Amino acid sequence: MLEIKPSWKDWQLLTRKGRHIWAYQPSSKDIDQHLANSSKPFQNKIQQFSEDFDFDSQKNPNSADRVFRHQWIKEKFKPFSGIRPNMAETKDQRIIDSIIDGINFFSSLQSQEGHWPGDYGGPMFLLPGLLIASYITGVEFPEPHQALMKIYIQNHQNPDGGWGMHIEGDSTMFGTVMQYVSLRLLGAKADDPQLIKARSWIKEHGGAVGIPSWGKFYLAVMNLYDWSGFNSLFPEMWLFPKWLPVHPSRYWCHSRMVYLPMAYCYAQRIKVPENELILSLRKEIYVEDFAGIDWPKQRDVVCDKDIYTVQSPTLKWMNFFTNGYEKIHLPWLRKKALQFILNYIRAEDLQTEYLNIGPVSQAINSICVWHVYGQQSEQFQQHVKRWYDYLWVAEDGMKMTGYNGSQFWDVAFTTRAILESDVGRLFKSTIEKAYQFIEDSQILKEHETHRQYFRHPMIGSWPFSTAEQGWPVADCTAEGLSATLACHHAGLVESKINDERIKLAVDVILSYQNKDGGWATYELSRAPKWLEKINPSEIFADIMIDYSWTECSSACILSLIEFQQDFPDYKPRKIESAINRGINFVIQQQKTDGSWYGGWGICFTYATWFAVEVLNKVRSKKIYDCELLNRCIDKACGFLISKQKSDGGWGETYQSCAKMVYSEAEKSQVVNTAWALLSLMACGYKDKTVIDRGIQLLLKRQAQNGDWPQENISGVFNYNCMITYSAYRNTFPIWALNRYYKLYLC
Ligand code: LAN
């Protein structure tokens, strides 16, 4: 067992209703009180943090969430004391013990309010955005936070001196320049050996002029790049008629909510005043003399290590016009557009209690709010408090997370995993708490301004993280519904989520179905696919509209089928038609090799699991062309079998997502193995030895306390950026083993 070093003990996770705040030597366990005190200077100076952390990104760049886990285990872990079912055969006993130990261990990481706190890091470009917001607004992070942030960035430098887009990625200009600037903001000196190495990487690859547009934005705010080298964000676009496909209200909500404050900063040409650090940085990150750079010529320059989406001719034309308009723009129209943007940001702040939809929006909105209302304003101070919701401490340091957490998502999956078989009934209090969290998280009210600011109706839905963040997600609603029904079936809880609330969830799910039969993420697809041609991001694909996905669709259909079993009289025809159209969509997405591409998990094993699960469910209901379903399922099994590794497991790398072809990991991964096993078992794959070999791998990898190791990263967004799901290493092996028990042992 790893020793907990003293300084780790100084950090404590405070939680309330799923909210996470890492506090350094907190004087109070109450989040509000702690945040109110945290602006006061710290008495305790930080000493030699780096020596206290045991992390080597060369061995594994994924932290295993040891700080959090060690503290909670130490406090809460108790060996299982209930009565274990006794199996006749010893090898079966091993399985049941593994499930019990797995759930028992994970239960000790559950919060009082019912969720599983965890690390949701991975992307490397988030913390720099927040540090830039903190620098320009003059609100510094406390010293202990800064020390840990520095350690985090230092820990993730690649051997070639650069940093990637995410913790597993190869070095890119975006990753490297952003970390470089961040380290300097955190006090690192230019002659620091790590920075010298980073500088060589930057200069060898053409210097910071080649940073992609999101990086150009952040550098421009830092006064390290000239705004004239940035393609216009054309704020007046917000005043276009709403029926136009290019109206931003039709974009995917994340793009919409990032380009919104970016457009304000661009229009105001917000920048940090020049100072010694800025002047020095200008020399450090460019090959050429800063003053001599022809900025407009750099607008489309992007380092070849970064490019994922090549600029289309349509985008080039659009930039030509919008850059031209920028020179002659009408001041009164600009004013009107900016007022609209500010009203929108204000509405988003109120709708999300200042959390905002995600980490990028949080940082850039903070800059806008500071610019408009000032540093001392209530509005800005509320933002600052929410910065801490996005920070997480693990053994690799302090990072900014990809969301304010994955709270609800993990609760829904874990609840279903535990309740997969009767073994789960041994964990009544875990389920009770999880159910409470599910109940507390359902969204039952609409915002007053929801229509005005293009929000999809959300009464009855569930979010991905917490109720206060409150952005509804289609498949989170589906997972919430499935988990609720599972709890009700198990009869372990008093059903507080009544029939009416269940039906509200169903209505939301129905309202989310796209014309193509599939389901997208937060909203309907609101514009045609050609809009992708004006994706200006270079580093992400498919970000312009909300597309239908295999995973989201499968989860929604599955929950509708489960609902129908209990409520056959509620909108039967509507639901049946939704299921049919949905299944058509899922079938169309199948690749010729039998797999499905995963947009939100890594990767083919992830989406194949979702698809097989639902196809099999429809097959058993006999409500769809059975022949066709058999063929699809057989092909999917064929695909999975062909990818089983010699040790019985499965393993994919993130390259599957970026390259869109199956990329086999050197080592089997417990998470991929569990997904493959869940799929094969869902459709009752006939050769049980295949399944047994996978199960053996899960048993072998399990630690004595019931945990599984943190292996490769498991999540992804927009094809090219990876994200950590720290609960998956527990949830999915538990689920697979539990299904094995249900099918073969009881
Ligand atoms: C998420 C996390 C959850 C995820 C699922 C529910 C798993 C998925 O099935 C639907 C899409 C969704 C909701 C999703 C969308 C993109 C998010 C919000 C993220 C991957 C978490 C972080 C990411 C967000 C875009 C990161 C911020 C970066 C930008 C490029 C704006």
Side-chain angles (χ1 to χ4, degrees), residues 2-56:
L2 190 105
E3 278 292 300
I4 299 186
K5 301 280 169 43
S7 60
W8 292 19
K9 285 189 194 150
D10 291 337
W11 288 93
Q12 251 187 53
L13 179 70
L14 311 181
T15 82
R16 188 187 61 211
K17 293 189 188 159
R19 185 177 185 191
H20 297 154
I21 300 286
W22 276 95
Y24 184 71
Q25 298 183 341
S27 49
S28 153
K29 290 211 167 185
D30 178 83
I31 287 183
D32 293 321
Q33 261 184 31
H34 172 73
L35 286 174
N37 292 337
S38 67
S39 55
K40 300 198 183 103
F42 281 83
Q43 274 127 36
N44 302 294
K45 293 278 172 213
I46 300 303
Q47 309 143 4
Q48 290 296 311
F49 255 123
S50 53
E51 282 175 16
D52 293 336
F53 287 86
D54 174 17
F55 177 80
D56 180 357

Side-chain angles (χ1 to χ4, degrees), residues 120 214 252 254 258 402-403 409 464 475 521-522 600 717 725:
Y120 197 52
W214 285 32
W252 184 43
H254 276 283
V258 165
Y403 219 66
W409 186 246
F464 178 71
D475 57 339
T521 63
Y522 294 78
W600 308 106
F717 55 91
Y725 282 85

Side-chain angles (χ1 to χ4, degrees), residues 13 20 22 62-69 105-106 109 115-122 167 392-396 399 401-402 405-407 409-411 413-414 464 670-671 675 707-716 722-734:
L13 179 70
H20 297 154
W22 276 95
N62 295 274
S63 48
D65 221 357
R66 276 145 79 195
V67 180
F68 160 67
R69 287 185 172 217
F105 171 82
F106 207 36
L109 298 181
H115 80 299
W116 280 268
D119 186 345
Y120 197 52
I167 52 174
W392 189 264
V393 175
E395 69 272 27
D396 55 346
K399 59 198 80 179
T401 51
S406 52
Q407 293 86 331
W409 186 246
D410 290 325
V411 169
F413 270 157
T414 306
F464 178 71
V670 292
V671 175
W675 288 332
D707 195 5
W708 275 273
Q710 176 61 50
E711 299 169 332
N712 292 354
I713 200 155
S714 303
V716 58
M722 307 305 137
I723 189 157
T724 302
Y725 282 85
S726 51
Y728 282 10
R729 74 193 221 221
N730 303 94
T731 304
F732 289 105
I734 290 172

Side-chain angles (χ1 to χ4, degrees), residues 274-320:
E274 271 178 22
N275 60 31
E276 225 174 280
L277 176 65
I278 304 292
L279 293 176
S280 174
L281 271 167
R282 286 178 179 175
K283 291 199 190 105
E284 294 164 37
I285 59 174
Y286 290 100
V287 177
E288 47 292 81
D289 178 30
F290 186 84
I293 295 174
D294 181 346
W295 292 104
K297 279 218 172 101
Q298 313 306 323
R299 286 177 187 153
D300 300 329
V301 175
V302 181
C303 173
D304 57 7
K305 298 278 176 215
D306 292 62
I307 295 186
Y308 188 70
T309 300
V310 180
Q311 275 199 348
S312 71
T314 319
L315 178 62
K316 285 194 180 141
W317 274 108
M318 197 185 88
N319 285 338
F320 176 77

Side-chain angles (χ1 to χ4, degrees), residues 132 145 328 463 602 636 714:
I132 288 171
H145 290 68
I328 53 152
I602 298 174
S714 303

